Amino acid sequence: MTQLPGLLDTEAIRKDFPVLDRLVHDDRKLVYLDNAATSQKPRQVLDALSEYYERYNANVHRGVHVLAEEATALYEGARDKVAAFINAPSRDEVIFTKNASESLNLVANMLGWADEPYRVDHETEIVITEMEHHSNIVPWQLLAQRTGAKLKWFGLTDDGRLDLSRIDEIITEKTKIVSFVLVSNILGTVNPVEAIVRRAQEVGALVCVDASQAAPHMPLDVQALQADFVAFTGHKMCGPTGIGVLWGRQELLEDLPPFLGGGEMIETVSMHSSTYAPAPHKFEAGTPPIAQAVGLGAAIDYLGSIGMDRILAHEHALTEYAVKRLAEVPDLRIIGPTTAEDRGAAISFTLGDIHPHDVGQVLDEQGIAVRVGHHCARPVCLRYGIPATTRASFYLYSTPAEIDALVEGLEHVRNFFG
Amino acid sequence: MKLDSMYQEVILDHYKNPHGRGLRDGDAEVHHVNPTCGDEITLRVKYDGTTISDVSYEGQGCSISQASASVLNELLVGKELAEAQKIQETFLELMQSKGKIEPDDAMEDVLEDAVAFAGVSKYPARVKCALLSWMAWKDATAQALDGADAERKTA
């Protein structure tokens, strides 16, 4: 077996993930390389979910009975865990949403309805990048269409990085918000946050960071990022689906208006008007995803027990190995950085003229799960003149043997369509 | 191997040597996409009265979507509209069967090469690929005939 420096004890870790033992297509060992789409869940998270429903289930912040109080303590305890996980200055800066898309839509809507100095209107500009997931493009397009604001973006270099050469022309005095991805879900690129934040701060623009592909894979420190908002989702980091996070700076959350109205987010309501609860509850209308928040808390405990820095080192070693092995496959072209430097563990590629859909199908027959398509980042495909890519993405339980299986599988694909 | 039920030889042949590919003169043009995977097709239909004189297309996509467009061209060009609609409906029925329809001789007579797609119907993610060009043809035909109706009315 290939041994690489920095690898985790995957044999032990994989025992925590029941689904990784599954055989598919009768007798094939599952090789799960679709972690950028969603991660698998460890037993510890599955147990936390069922334990919550079996022992505590109640609505939160509403009852005086014992279950309601315990459920509330678990839900708010999960908020504490998230706050610690991202080094938030205050737990009240952590808003639970249903996913990263909702988090980003929430920011866009806060700014659309805000008063000065945050308000996005027809005299102002929004800046994103060409490598965003659709969830960090479409909310801003909607905001621009509704307010008349101008939408601008950073283009990409040929080697899959942000082209910041015209940063002073793109981020200007008119810019109200700069929203960009920390780690690209399609290219794997890790973006230079500091350079963008520095320019945004010069012109007084807010900064929103989509950390969906970062939070699961590396230490995330919102204070070090110096952003104003950070969004991510639970299901990519061993948590359940249906739970996301928006972190926002406290003073902003105090000033900005709510988006969704309903129970939980109010202070008093009359038939004429309402006043609102303080953040984070101001932004959590209705019964929240309680069990899912508890599950996310368990996922954070799990990741913490291994250590985010060790997970980062593990994935870096795997990525180095993967780019080296993939380079051996004839006609394979990596879309994105071709080395492991400033790169996450999602690797997109094309294989000659064979369409990714066909690549994915033949790999699936061998038990290898990858993602094919445009990965909700169609502008990236357009930029590189390709219809789609095949993407292999790794996580803490991925092994060099699985990368070997992928490389062998691709050989089979080439023979099949050759 | 199960894969062979999807990637029948006849499908791979159409994929590697597509019939009638390329855009030519038409009465209507449509552009259809499959947003989940990025398959795209631009398709034109040309009618001579109610006879299909040409179906031309250009697109990008997987072997299934490309082969399906090629089969469509081979099957429909030269047919009367009513017969073509019957073929389209039969193909749709087969593709929506989730692998439960075993094509009989009557179906084979109607579908000819298109019967090879029966195996694809077992793969829900790929059914849309197989249907992309057929839905585009249906749409383009509706537009072409609407246009012809409108012309007759204004003439």
Side-chain angles (χ1 to χ4, degrees):
Chain A
M1 234 174 93
T2 310
Q3 285 300 327
L4 308 170
L7 284 191
L8 292 165
D9 178 1
T10 46
E11 207 176 315
I13 288 172
R14 291 175 76 89
K15 291 201 175 89
D16 293 331
F17 291 81
V19 80
L20 296 180
D21 283 337
R22 243 198 89 170
L23 299 178
V24 292
H25 298 307
D26 301 331
D27 60 348
R28 296 287 184 157
K29 224 178 139 203
L30 173 68
V31 175
Y32 186 76
L33 302 179
D34 195 16
N35 292 286
T38 196
S39 72
Q40 296 302 344
K41 321 303 174 199
R43 173 66 65 198
Q44 291 84 338
V45 169
L46 303 175
D47 286 349
L49 286 168
S50 55
E51 191 193 10
Y52 171 77
Y53 280 122
E54 285 174 11
R55 289 187 55 79
Y56 302 104
N57 181 52
N59 213 329
V60 294
H61 304 130
R62 281 164 175 80
V64 293
H65 58 80
V66 62
L67 294 191
E69 286 182 352
E70 286 173 356
T72 303
L74 284 169
Y75 178 70
E76 291 301 328
R79 197 188 308 278
D80 290 328
K81 288 176 185 181
V82 172
F85 183 73
I86 60 175
N87 194 30
S90 162
R91 67 183 306 282
D92 294 333
E93 297 177 332
V94 174
I95 300 165
F96 283 129
T97 61
K98 76 166 182 276
N99 49 36
S101 295
E102 187 182 305
S103 298
L104 293 163
N105 276 275
L106 175 54
V107 177
N109 278 282
M110 284 173 178
L111 299 181
W113 297 106
D115 294 324
E116 288 300 339
Y118 309 114
R119 189 178 179 81
V120 169
D121 60 24
H122 68 283
E123 291 174 344
T124 63
E125 295 176 352
I126 301 162
V127 174
I128 58 174
T129 86
E130 202 175 5
M131 69 164 78
E132 299 309 313
H133 188 282
H134 295 164
S135 62
N136 201 26
I137 297 176
V138 182
W140 303 110
Q141 289 176 339
L142 290 169
L143 181 63
Q145 284 157 12
R146 286 166 184 168
T147 60
K150 186 174 177 188
L151 183 65
K152 296 162 82 173
W153 56 87
F154 289 105
L156 307 181
T157 64
D158 289 341
D159 57 350
R161 302 208 179 264
L162 286 182
D163 177 4
L164 297 180
S165 59
R166 294 173 50 240
I167 188 168
D168 291 351
E169 294 161 54
I170 292 172
I171 301 177
T172 70
E173 299 289 333
K174 287 186 173 176
T175 308
K176 283 284 184 177
I177 175 85
V178 181
S179 189
F180 65 96
V181 72
L182 183 46
V183 181
S184 161
N185 75 311
I186 177 167
L187 297 168
T189 315
V190 177
N191 283 321
V193 177
E194 205 186 324
I196 301 171
V197 168
R198 198 187 312 126
R199 175 60 186 160
Q201 286 177 345
E202 266 174 27
V203 300
L206 296 175
V207 173
C208 177
V209 172
D210 173 5
S212 301
Q213 299 289 345
H217 303 290
M218 58 185 66
L220 182 64
D221 181 334
V222 295
Q223 297 188 59
L225 283 181
Q226 291 200 46
D228 297 289
F229 301 101
V230 176
F232 56 97
T233 192
H235 71 91
K236 294 186 200 290
M237 51 188 285
C238 297
T241 53
I243 183 76
V245 172
L246 176 67
W247 170 84
R249 274 200 299 120
Q250 188 142 21
E251 60 175 278
L252 290 171
L253 298 185
E254 281 167 15
D255 288 353
L256 289 166
F259 170 46
L260 298 174
E264 183 80 33
M265 53 79 71
I266 50 87
E267 189 179 58
T268 64
V269 176
S270 74
M271 289 312 292
H272 298 286
S273 65
S274 301
T275 58
Y276 309 120
H281 306 295
K282 180 164 77 170
F283 302 103
E284 291 181 2
T287 297
I290 305 165
Q292 290 78 0
V294 173
L296 176 58
I300 285 172
D301 287 343
Y302 182 80
L303 294 173
S305 73
I306 291 162
M308 293 310 295
D309 45 355
R310 291 178 66 215
I311 292 171
L312 176 64
H314 173 80
E315 293 184 18
H316 186 73
L318 282 181
T319 304
E320 261 183 343
Y321 183 66
V323 293
K324 189 181 87 186
R325 290 294 330 264
L326 289 172
E328 296 165 13
V329 180
D331 303 327
L332 187 144
R333 171 189 169 204
I334 289 179
I335 306 299
T338 52
T339 71
E341 298 320 302
D342 292 323
R343 181 188 219 307
I347 304 179
S348 276
F349 55 86
T350 57
L351 188 64
D353 291 333
I354 307 171
H355 193 278
H357 237 161
D358 294 318
V359 175
Q361 196 81 54
V362 177
L363 289 177
D364 174 65
E365 190 72 10
Q366 300 165 77
I368 303 167
V370 294
R371 171 85 190 266
V372 297
H374 50 45
H375 314 288
C376 300
R378 188 166 174 271
V380 170
C381 292
L382 294 176
R383 164 65 177 81
Y384 294 107
I386 48 175
T389 77
T390 303
R391 181 186 69 190
S393 52
F394 315 119
Y395 205 12
L396 74 164
Y397 40 68
S398 305
T399 67
E402 290 182 310
I403 292 167
D404 295 337
L406 171 68
V407 169
E408 275 171 41
L410 291 170
E411 209 42 60
H412 188 63
V413 173
R414 292 183 67 248
N415 292 334
F416 193 88
F417 290 102
Chain B
M1 189 167 89
K2 259 168 72 187
L3 262 193
D4 293 331
S5 78
M6 169 182 293
Y7 293 114
Q8 301 268 323
E9 205 53 48
V10 63
I11 293 181
L12 293 176
D13 280 350
H14 273 279
Y15 172 52
K16 287 170 189 165
N17 304 296
H19 290 244
R21 194 182 166 90
L23 286 174
R24 296 172 293 277
D25 184 34
D27 302 325
E29 174 182 308
V30 296
H31 181 73
H32 278 213
V33 300
N34 180 352
T36 55
C37 61
D39 286 358
E40 299 192 19
I41 191 163
T42 303
L43 181 143
R44 289 180 190 163
V45 289
K46 178 89 182 144
Y47 278 85
D48 180 2
T50 55
T51 306
I52 302 169
S53 59
D54 196 14
V55 180
S56 63
Y57 62 95
E58 194 61 76
Q60 54 183 23
C62 63
S63 57
I64 302 298
S65 71
Q66 298 303 296
S68 181
S70 169
V71 169
L72 179 149
N73 170 281
E74 193 179 64
L75 240 60
L76 300 194
V77 173
K79 294 275 194 318
E80 277 296 309
L81 175 61
E83 194 185 351
Q85 280 169 331
K86 188 186 168 202
I87 295 170
Q88 194 265 343
E89 282 158 18
T90 310
F91 187 67
L92 185 64
E93 185 194 348
L94 176 64
M95 294 318 298
Q96 292 176 337
S97 73
K98 300 182 174 144
K100 296 212 176 76
I101 293 183
E102 194 62 51
D104 55 13
D105 288 351
M107 190 177 251
E108 277 200 58
D109 285 346
V110 175
L111 290 182
E112 300 178 36
D113 274 3
V115 90
F117 288 85
V120 178
S121 71
K122 279 181 267 184
Y123 295 82
R126 306 303 295 275
V127 168
K128 276 188 184 167
C129 309
L131 286 175
L132 183 69
S133 54
W134 293 80
M135 293 307 181
W137 172 78
K138 195 179 170 195
D139 185 11
T141 292
Q143 289 187 24
L145 300 180
D146 269 5
D149 277 353
E151 263 174 45
R152 267 198 302 278
K153 277 171 197 158
T154 52

